[in-house]
Amino acid sequence: MSHSHLPKDFLWGFATASYQIEGAPHKDGRADSIWDTFCRIPGKIAGGESGERACDSYHRTAEDIALLKQYRAQVYRFSLSWSRIIPLGGRNDPVNEKGLQHYVKFVDDLLAAGIQPMVTLFHWDLPDALDKRYGGFLNKDEFVKDYENYARVCFEAFGSKVKFWITFNEPWCSSILGYSTGLFAPGRTSDRSKSAVGDSSTEPWIAGHSILIAHGAAVKAYRDDFKAKDGGQIGITLNGDWTEPWDPNDPADREACERKLEFAISWFGDAIYLGKYPDSMRKQLGDRLPTFTAEEIALVQGSNDFYGMNHYCANYIKHKDGEADINDFSGHIQALYHNKAGEVIGPETQSFWLHPNPLGFRKLMKWLSDRYGGPTFYVTESGTSLKGENDLPLEELLDDEFRCEYFRGYIGAMADAHTIDGVDVRGYTAWSLMDNFEWAEGYETRFGVTYVDYDGDQKRYPKKSAMEIGAIFDKYIEKE
Ligand code: GBH
């Protein structure tokens, strides 16, 4: 029996993202996003897949809402496809009324079902036309204006009904995976073996800088023109794994842990909460890391009403000797799944990077809370895949005890962070409502609490974890 608890108005539910679930890439006037075009490049996605069909959620909003109700969700975090709303993306391009109305109706339907919408404006699916026109994030001035315009269109259309806005999901992924490793769209990298163009030593830092300023501009627009009448809150969602030293007795490994957190999280977090980039990044990257003008930092600093936290796992971190490589993006460290004593950080899953470690979640919440002066947190993603899940017979697959255990551990750790460490956490949306298009891993890796039968008309089957989450929260959330 745990004495830890969560506050009585705590909001919990599930999360998804547009390109991962919607399908219907050209329905009702939607144009390509960078993910549509990226998926067409041979070798980029496991199984040669794409989000073309995915969960077919564009046509199944009623079914998805019925699942949320069945699971007792109070909040649903989903993202908008910019390419449906402004197909060519730009501030002078036309708004697609059909695409916009799809989301207006979806928000209405959620509210009618008693579920709070938490809307992510951008979860990686940039309109392809903006990438082609001016290089997307690489052209700060164009991108910031186009993004602000897009955000305003959304605030105008359903701002009065939405109390939680997220400007960007995981800018680290858009910047590093899109412009350094090339694993994600638009696939730019210095690694010529991946037959791509790009400069990994500069572009990810430019991309991240543009995103921060676009975030700041959208927040300013919301605060200036919508917040007072609509009464919502707005923030950004940052990802980041916890770090433990490979050798706890080696100060160099302990420093490497801090550096890794700074490169992964504080890159954005420090700019938003402290008004600067971390010293460790400036030291390693020098002039390759852009600097903020006074006007820019005025937009960025203080721009979060809440901290959107995506968190999945932890790693052991070992320092590296010598000079950092010019293309290094993680602070000249090595991330490992075992430590010097041979202990593993957590069990294996279907995702090579994901080894669950619930205590790391609590530690990271405290680390962030201390560094940023006790902000309000909404955990906007947390969840797991299961080793070999895709190969199991349906009946066994639906009995996902490993995933239930993950949620028990992680939700318990969050309650400890709240109760023992004083972290102000007010919500949690589990990743994910259903199995979906897992980016470069295609459909082989499943994160859903609902099984989706991709060969059987996208039929949905609740797994055991779907109802378990509500049962876990019942134990922790304080009653009146
Ligand atoms: C989330 O990111 C995403 O927001 C969501 O769309 C996705 O479906 C979910 O994870 C599950 O993957 O290639 O070594 O650089 C989680 C954070 C950060 C996890 C990047 C995977 C890649 C490791 N992700 N990381 S690496």
Side-chain angles (χ1 to χ4, degrees):
M1 245 267 305
S2 168
H3 294 284
S4 286
H5 62 269
L6 292 164
K8 67 176 189 309
D9 51 358
F10 192 90
L11 283 176
W12 62 268
F14 300 89
T16 60
S18 49
Y19 192 69
Q20 294 182 272
I21 66 163
E22 286 181 351
H26 301 120
K27 187 86 184 276
D28 293 342
R30 182 187 178 282
D32 279 345
S33 76
I34 55 173
W35 271 93
D36 295 277
T37 51
F38 186 68
C39 290
R40 290 184 202 125
I41 305 172
K44 294 297 182 194
I45 313 294
E49 293 288 355
S50 75
E52 176 121 25
R53 187 88 198 277
C55 309
D56 194 33
S57 283
Y58 189 74
H59 299 117
R60 298 178 194 221
T61 53
E63 235 178 279
D64 291 351
I65 292 173
L67 287 176
L68 289 161
K69 273 199 90 157
Q70 185 187 337
Y71 304 162
R72 302 194 292 127
Q74 299 161 321
V75 57
Y76 181 43
R77 173 177 180 244
F78 62 97
S79 82
L80 309 176
S81 159
W82 184 344
S83 305
R84 291 194 194 283
I85 294 172
I86 307 175
L88 298 179
R91 57 198 182 278
N92 300 315
D93 296 317
V95 171
N96 175 30
E97 217 33 57
K98 273 192 178 160
L100 186 62
Q101 287 312 316
H102 169 81
Y103 293 115
V104 171
K105 177 166 187 322
F106 186 61
V107 164
D108 284 341
D109 291 350
L110 275 175
L111 289 170
I115 299 162
Q116 281 283 329
M118 180 181 271
V119 179
T120 308
L121 288 162
F122 184 86
H123 197 124
W124 307 348
D125 44 356
L126 183 77
D128 191 58
L130 298 186
D131 189 48
K132 298 249 155 63
R133 199 178 285 166
Y134 57 69
F137 305 133
L138 298 182
N139 190 325
K140 180 181 69 182
D141 294 339
E142 292 294 325
F143 177 70
V144 169
K145 288 187 199 124
D146 286 345
Y147 180 80
E148 184 191 327
N149 171 69
Y150 159 62
R152 280 182 179 277
V153 168
C154 301
F155 299 152
E156 291 278 356
F158 38 93
S160 63
K161 301 163 184 172
V162 173
K163 300 302 167 215
F164 299 98
W165 291 99
I166 292 160
T167 53
F168 287 89
N169 180 70
E170 303 186 347
W172 183 93
C173 291
S174 296
S175 310
I176 298 298
L177 305 180
Y179 293 86
S180 182
T181 65
L183 200 73
F184 280 12
R188 292 175 68 89
T189 176
S190 289
D191 183 350
R192 294 293 178 266
S193 71
K194 300 209 174 111
S195 68
V197 292
D199 178 354
S200 305
S201 73
T202 54
E203 290 181 4
W205 315 116
I206 295 168
H209 195 72
S210 299
I211 294 175
L212 272 169
I213 294 157
H215 155 80
V219 170
K220 181 170 170 21
Y222 186 70
R223 287 179 178 166
D224 284 354
D225 298 333
F226 300 91
K227 194 176 163 85
K229 69 180 161 66
D230 295 340
Q233 303 176 53
I234 186 163
I236 197 168
T237 278
L238 304 179
N239 60 295
D241 308 336
W242 178 243
T243 58
E244 291 286 350
W246 186 76
D247 177 357
N249 297 317
D250 186 344
D253 284 352
R254 294 200 304 268
E255 275 169 38
C257 282
E258 288 288 301
R259 222 164 42 242
K260 167 76 162 65
L261 291 170
E262 290 175 353
F263 270 73
I265 305 175
S266 312
W267 175 10
F268 303 100
D270 281 13
I272 291 170
Y273 289 96
L274 310 177
K276 63 196 255 314
Y277 286 130
D279 294 341
S280 59
M281 292 185 74
R282 180 63 67 199
K283 188 167 170 231
Q284 182 179 317
L285 303 171
D287 292 346
R288 290 184 286 118
L289 184 66
T291 45
F292 293 102
T293 65
E295 202 183 312
E296 287 173 350
I297 204 61
L299 278 179
V300 173
Q301 190 173 8
S303 57
N304 255 1
D305 292 340
F306 60 85
Y307 185 111
M309 179 178 182
N310 284 2
H311 183 74
Y312 288 83
C313 57
N315 292 302
Y316 288 116
I317 303 297
K318 197 176 182 180
H319 75 279
K320 281 187 186 168
D321 293 322
E323 282 286 293
D325 186 90
I326 191 151
N327 294 325
D328 176 82
F329 55 79
S330 32
H332 197 43
I333 56 96
Q334 197 185 351
L336 295 158
Y337 306 126
H338 60 89
N339 63 9
K340 194 181 178 192
E343 293 155 336
V344 292
I345 195 81
E348 283 186 63
T349 66
Q350 187 62 31
S351 315
F352 72 90
W353 51 271
L354 202 173
H355 298 248
N357 180 307
L359 186 57
F361 184 28
R362 175 177 163 195
K363 290 181 179 176
L364 181 56
M365 291 198 112
K366 170 134 176 41
W367 189 88
L368 291 168
S369 188
D370 289 348
R371 189 174 180 107
Y372 297 136
T376 295
F377 289 89
Y378 285 88
V379 178
T380 43
E381 281 179 34
S382 159
T384 192
S385 58
L386 247 89
K387 190 139 194 79
E389 187 178 25
N390 198 35
D391 303 323
L392 295 174
L394 182 61
E395 196 178 316
E396 277 176 51
L397 192 151
L398 298 181
D399 189 18
D400 60 341
E401 176 57 24
F402 181 86
R403 187 173 281 109
C404 294
E405 198 52 32
Y406 178 97
F407 286 120
R408 284 179 208 122
Y410 273 72
I411 294 167
M414 173 173 67
D416 287 345
H418 173 70
T419 311
I420 303 168
D421 304 330
V423 171
D424 178 14
V425 58
R426 303 193 193 178
Y428 181 101
T429 50
W431 188 268
S432 175
L433 174 62
M434 60 197 144
D435 296 334
N436 56 48
F437 177 70
E438 178 56 8
W439 307 111
E441 292 181 45
Y443 295 99
E444 284 159 24
T445 303
R446 297 173 177 272
F447 271 86
V449 300
T450 310
Y451 173 77
V452 176
D453 185 357
Y454 300 113
D455 302 320
D457 194 34
Q458 271 51 16
K459 192 166 155 49
R460 286 109 160 97
Y461 300 82
K463 301 178 195 175
K464 182 169 144 192
S465 56
M467 294 306 293
E468 180 66 15
I469 290 185
I472 301 167
F473 278 111
D474 283 346
K475 276 188 16 200
Y476 287 107
I477 297 174
E478 285 186 308
K479 314 277 179 297
E480 288 306 316

